[in-house]
Amino acid sequence: MSTPCYKNSKQPFEKRIKDLLSRMTLEEKLGQLNQIYRGHENPLPPEFAGQVRKGEVGSFIWGYAQPELRNQIQRIAVEETRLGIPIIFGNDIIHGARTIFPIAPALACSFDPELFERAQSIAAKEARAAGIEWVFAPMCDLARDIRWGRVAETCGEDPFLSSLCNAAQVRGFQGKDPSSNKNLAACLKHYVGYSCPRGGRDYSDTEITEWTLRNSHLPSFHAAIDAGALTVMSSFNAIGGVPAVANRHTLTEILRDEWKFKGFVVSDWNAVKETVSWGYAKDDADAARLSICAGNDMDMLSTSYCRTIAKQVKDGLLPVAVVNEAVRRVLRVKFMVGLFEKPYADESAYESAILRPEHIEFARDCVTKSTVLLKNDGVLPISKKVRKIALIGPFGDDQSEMLGCWQGFGETKDAVTLAQGLKVKFGSKISLTVVKGCSVQTQPRMKTLQDGSTVVDESAGKDDDAVNLSEAVRAAKAADLVIMAVGEPRGITGEGGSRATLTITGRQQELFDAVAACGKPVVTVVFSGRPLSIPAVIEKSSAVLFAWQPGIQAGNGLSDLLSGDVAPSARLSISVPYEVGQVPLYYNHYVTGRRTGGVYRDGVPTAARFWFGYGLTYTKFEYSDIKIVSGKKGKPAEAVATIRNKGRRKGVETVQLYIRQLACNEAARPMQELRGFKRVALKPGESVKVRFPLGGDVLGYVDCKGRTCVDKGDFHVWITPHARCGEALVYVHK
Ligand code: GLC
């Protein structure tokens, strides 16, 4: 019997898809649109085999590096079902598979998209070896409100930087051939507008105008689609009351009709069914029909599609053509990631693929390039005269906290803490005393009352609330230098990690104040998934390093910076406020018709403590000769500047180009927009001229029909070390 076309690898994908689709029953089609979750059970629940054998499973969320179990399930799909369509296994590999890197907003602080590309290329190799061919990353959401814990997964508050970083991540994950055993399919999430929830509360509603959608939230997704992303995940939120999972404007009119996206869209967890909770769909059947007709192809976890669509098709409520198109998209991606030719993972590959020396070395490099030096009165790099260091605080020697909010297949034992890194770096040259001082997870224990409300459980033990001030103060007084390791626990960042305050948690402030009062120089290292409002900590510290959640090479990378072996070069991807009351706070907001004043009535500044793009290094750079040079022979004008290293150490400066259109009749534009940056490495005394052409869509915006427009007229242009800094040049674009 001849090989059916869909199994013939010599045939083009589209021909194979057409042939396979023509052979499928409606139930088999709906099985391809159904994704289920492999939880913590081991061995696998027996019902999985039954569901797979009946062709009811198109995909698994598979959170474990267990290729042998994965192959066991796959063998049923391929060898025991009528058509043998392979399952696609997906997982949340956000900032590393087994080699865990700094979180995304930290890597974005490197202003080096290639760093991101390399990190995700390593993550893809390790994940594919684990039997995963689809990752639910990159997260393309724009950071808009740091009370929302998921800013820890974003590439920051700027659409331009976020676009470059997310396109780079797609290239890293998918490589040139997503079917190779070193690459896999990316998934852009959460499409779209999830990142500005009311009150900063995860899962709450968002109100976004088309103008803001087009120019703030969509650019990063568009850039990543243009980079070839194979899948998209629709988001939990609604835009103007229409849930994103059933939003035809965003899912079809923009994603398909305008951007020509050919991959498939998966819902977020149970989001199809949740359109009923939104009060948008009447019941599961309504939810399934509205979602699939809007352009959401696969149903994550709710099973609404496979339970309710067949009857709706038979009753003439839902055209089978809609189902066919969704299945066509899913099959296309399965062909593109090589599942039909190679359905089984190589069960011997994982151990040799993970934690390779070059992966670990690179993870260390990522730490040095993503940790931001926010303040330094000269205490850093640590002087050779320092003999005694006291490392105080709950983040100083906690391996688990280094792994961040999505640890993939990461294991605690792989992490190098700051204490461990300092011991390796300084050895016997330094006497290091390590004092935890208080716990990390001192969150009030809550209890639920009869009426369903939750209150603090006063009776709950306070065992983890102790603070050991005397030991900390003793260590500080005996030291030449104190390093404080404080922050927010990773357990309250990421999904569901909404906070109404942005302080360091528990009794860390008490610990910090007692240590700072000892009068020794304090270097504070902040571990957090988001910027925190810690003005007193900053004021009392001689230096502040913002380390985010740095991954398994935390201690070694941070020690490279503290010792001066490597100079900091990172620049903030998200602005840092003084107080949570200023949030939402981001640099690229409108000018508005009236001055909002520099200070709130209760004395808090309206400006950020540190703006987007800010960061120090161990030398100083001078900007001079900043001007606009008109273009010749049809070439665009250029903004140029000379940058000189006027310090005594070499350093890397990230020179940034911002623009503002002074009058845009489509809609007012933000007071500054990043439209270019160049990282220049300069030795002491060395200078370089940087040039930014003002052509193409550097000055452009997207109108509400999705067209990129560049208006003639007056612009302000800055070449500057960070947002909201320096004088603007006036440029008249003709
Ligand atoms: C979660 C998250 C999403 C994740 C998915 C699968 O609810 O919102 O980011 O990829 O479910 O774990």
Side-chain angles (χ1 to χ4, degrees):
M1 192 169 71
S2 70
T3 307
C5 173
Y6 77 94
K7 291 191 174 180
N8 181 346
S9 61
K10 294 185 177 48
Q11 292 294 334
F13 288 154
E14 293 310 310
K15 206 171 166 189
R16 298 171 71 182
I17 293 166
K18 187 170 178 227
D19 172 59
L20 178 51
L21 205 54
S22 68
R23 300 167 186 263
M24 294 170 77
T25 65
L26 181 55
E27 284 64 26
E28 287 167 335
K29 291 173 183 174
L30 294 174
Q32 289 303 307
L33 307 182
N34 186 43
Q35 180 182 62
I36 67 174
Y37 173 62
R38 181 270 140 134
H40 305 280
E41 313 84 348
N42 202 354
L44 297 176
E47 66 270 21
F48 274 173
Q51 283 178 284
V52 172
R53 198 166 283 119
K54 282 190 278 180
E56 292 173 359
V57 182
S59 172
F60 265 95
I61 297 181
W62 191 266
Y64 288 80
Q66 290 173 327
E68 63 292 333
L69 271 181
R70 172 243 188 251
N71 284 348
Q72 208 181 83
I73 283 278
Q74 188 71 299
R75 215 157 269 118
I76 299 172
V78 173
E79 299 167 23
E80 297 183 34
T81 62
R82 193 174 71 88
L83 294 167
I85 301 171
I87 287 168
I88 185 166
F89 293 80
N91 189 30
D92 291 288
I93 302 294
I94 314 293
H95 52 95
R98 176 65 186 272
T99 303
I100 302 300
F101 300 109
I103 55 175
L107 285 178
C109 291
S110 70
F111 276 70
D112 182 359
E114 277 150 43
L115 195 78
F116 247 122
E117 182 171 342
R118 173 102 194 275
Q120 300 305 26
S121 165
I122 290 170
K125 285 190 191 70
E126 295 188 348
R128 193 87 197 224
I132 298 296
E133 51 276 332
W134 181 27
V135 292
F136 307 134
M139 199 239 224
C140 297
D141 298 84
L142 193 71
R144 272 285 170 270
D145 188 325
I146 57 177
R147 295 170 296 178
W148 185 59
R150 303 198 78 168
V151 293
E153 303 166 62
T154 68
C155 291
E157 70 190 43
D158 177 74
F160 179 82
L161 176 63
S162 178
S163 298
L164 292 171
C165 291
N166 282 303
Q169 293 192 69
V170 169
R171 291 193 297 271
F173 281 131
Q174 298 187 173
K176 299 238 180 309
D177 173 10
S179 73
S180 96
N181 64 357
K182 298 193 178 336
N183 300 318
L184 36 66
C187 182
L188 310 181
K189 68 185 188 184
H190 303 81
Y191 186 74
V192 63
Y194 174 36
S195 63
C196 44
R198 184 163 44 86
R201 289 183 295 278
D202 203 3
Y203 311 133
S204 67
D205 52 300
T206 57
E207 284 295 351
I208 307 175
T209 63
E210 187 71 13
W211 172 254
T212 300
L213 199 60
R214 293 283 188 175
N215 289 282
S216 296
H217 297 277
L218 285 172
S220 189
F221 286 93
H222 197 175
I225 293 284
D226 286 350
L230 293 178
T231 73
V232 169
M233 182 186 294
S234 56
S235 51
F236 285 128
N237 61 292
I239 301 174
V242 180
V245 67
N247 194 311
R248 182 169 184 78
H249 174 56
T250 51
L251 288 172
T252 294
E253 292 166 8
I254 294 177
L255 191 58
R256 307 278 179 189
D257 299 347
E258 285 182 34
W259 297 354
K260 309 300 179 209
F261 173 61
K262 294 279 182 260
F264 73 82
V265 177
V266 62
S267 75
D268 204 339
W269 194 288
N270 199 43
V272 170
K273 188 180 179 69
E274 289 170 10
T275 56
V276 179
S277 317
W278 273 102
Y280 183 74
K282 181 164 54 64
D283 54 25
D284 283 6
D286 204 26
R289 190 186 70 259
L290 289 165
S291 299
I292 195 167
C293 289
N296 187 86
D297 304 305
M298 186 183 281
D299 172 9
M300 181 189 288
L301 272 297
S302 91
T303 69
S304 307
Y305 282 20
C306 61
R307 280 183 296 107
T308 71
I309 285 182
K311 184 175 182 310
Q312 296 188 76
V313 169
K314 286 165 191 151
D315 294 350
L317 298 173
L318 199 166
V320 71
V322 171
V323 176
N324 288 347
E325 182 53 28
V327 176
R328 188 174 292 115
R329 294 163 179 167
V330 172
L331 294 177
R332 182 175 295 128
V333 173
K334 289 189 173 184
F335 277 111
M336 293 179 80
V337 297
L339 278 168
F340 281 83
E341 273 61 60
K342 293 177 290 179
Y344 306 118
D346 173 354
E347 295 176 17
S348 65
Y350 186 62
E351 285 313 318
S352 60
I354 58 170
L355 297 173
R356 301 173 63 87
E358 65 271 20
H359 296 181
I360 291 175
E361 198 48 40
F362 177 71
R364 178 173 184 159
D365 191 34
C366 288
V367 175
T368 60
K369 289 179 175 160
S370 58
T371 299
V372 189
L373 180 60
L374 294 176
K375 180 181 180 185
N376 184 23
D377 67 3
V379 71
L380 291 180
I382 294 174
S383 157
K384 302 259 185 288
K385 296 191 190 105
V386 168
R387 287 283 169 272
K388 288 185 179 176
I389 293 178
L391 172 61
I392 301 170
F395 288 83
D397 203 17
D398 185 322
Q399 288 181 291
S400 166
E401 283 300 332
M402 301 300 107
L403 296 183
C405 51
W406 280 104
Q407 72 180 66
F409 304 131
E411 298 198 16
T412 301
K413 63 181 169 51
D414 302 335
V416 177
T417 65
L418 182 49
Q420 293 163 337
L422 288 169
K423 284 173 190 153
V424 171
K425 177 65 71 176
F426 291 102
S428 58
K429 278 183 252 151
I430 293 273
S431 146
L432 179 68
T433 305
V434 182
V435 176
K436 183 178 174 184
C438 64
S439 88
V440 172
Q441 289 278 9
T442 48
Q443 299 304 315
R445 286 184 178 73
M446 310 301 280
K447 67 181 178 186
T448 304
L449 304 180
Q450 290 297 350
D451 66 3
S453 62
T454 53
V455 293
V456 175
D457 181 352
E458 297 301 348
S459 63
K462 291 259 181 210
D463 54 345
D464 67 354
D465 212 7
V467 60
N468 188 340
L469 298 184
S470 53
E471 188 188 3
V473 166
R474 196 167 40 251
K477 287 184 171 171
D480 303 323
L481 176 72
V482 174
I483 299 177
M484 288 300 299
V486 294
E488 72 171 357
R490 69 187 186 117
I492 64 169
T493 61
E495 185 169 357
S498 310
R499 292 185 67 191
T501 63
L502 292 171
T503 57
I504 50 180
T505 51
R507 303 186 64 176
Q508 295 183 76
Q509 189 65 52
E510 201 178 329
L511 176 69
F512 177 89
D513 292 342
V515 169
C518 297
K520 295 295 176 71
V522 173
V523 173
T524 298
V525 185
V526 182
F527 296 86
S528 172
R530 71 188 104 197
L532 298 177
S533 62
I534 47 174
V537 169
I538 293 166
E539 281 322 302
K540 295 176 185 173
S541 299
S542 298
V544 179
L545 277 172
F546 182 16
W548 298 92
Q549 294 166 350
I552 60 170
Q553 279 293 301
N556 289 330
L558 290 170
S559 299
D560 289 339
L561 295 174
L562 290 163
S563 64
D565 288 350
V566 178
S569 58
R571 299 291 183 269
L572 284 173
S573 60
I574 303 180
S575 299
V576 178
Y578 283 93
E579 296 296 344
V580 68
Q582 296 177 264
V583 173
L585 176 73
Y586 40 87
Y587 89 92
N588 39 6
H589 61 66
Y590 295 116
V591 176
T592 76
R594 294 176 165 218
R595 284 282 165 270
T596 49
V599 182
Y600 287 85
R601 287 301 176 100
D602 38 17
V604 175
T606 54
R609 179 69 181 81
F610 302 105
W611 281 114
F612 172 85
Y614 178 86
L616 301 173
T617 183
Y618 291 148
T619 186
K620 294 267 186 241
F621 295 99
E622 179 184 70
Y623 285 56
S624 63
D625 201 18
I626 304 173
K627 60 191 177 193
I628 304 281
V629 175
S630 52
K632 295 187 177 60
K633 300 193 189 85
K635 285 195 185 291
E638 289 182 326
V640 301
T642 299
I643 316 297
R644 188 170 75 85
N645 178 346
K646 63 179 196 176
R648 293 197 309 261
R649 293 172 66 97
K650 64 183 180 180
V652 174
E653 173 68 342
T654 300
V655 185
Q656 297 157 41
L657 170 78
Y658 292 88
I659 63 132
R660 180 197 170 200
Q661 179 172 349
L662 299 182
C664 176
N665 299 159
E666 176 81 11
R669 292 180 64 180
M671 69 182 306
Q672 272 190 325
E673 295 177 78
L674 177 74
R675 286 303 166 89
F677 54 86
K678 290 181 193 300
R679 299 173 67 248
V680 291
L682 295 172
K683 297 189 187 72
E686 194 179 10
S687 62
V688 67
K689 177 174 257 186
V690 294
R691 319 175 79 87
F692 292 99
L694 299 176
D697 52 14
V698 167
L699 304 174
Y701 61 88
V702 180
D703 72 7
C704 293
K705 290 189 170 47
R707 296 170 302 204
T708 297
C709 310
V710 180
D711 293 350
K712 293 181 175 26
D714 295 352
F715 286 80
H716 278 167
V717 174
W718 293 259
I719 293 185
T720 177
H722 60 82
R724 314 295 278 276
C725 167
E727 296 302 314
L729 301 167
V730 176
Y731 167 62
V732 180
H733 185 61
K734 294 185 173 56

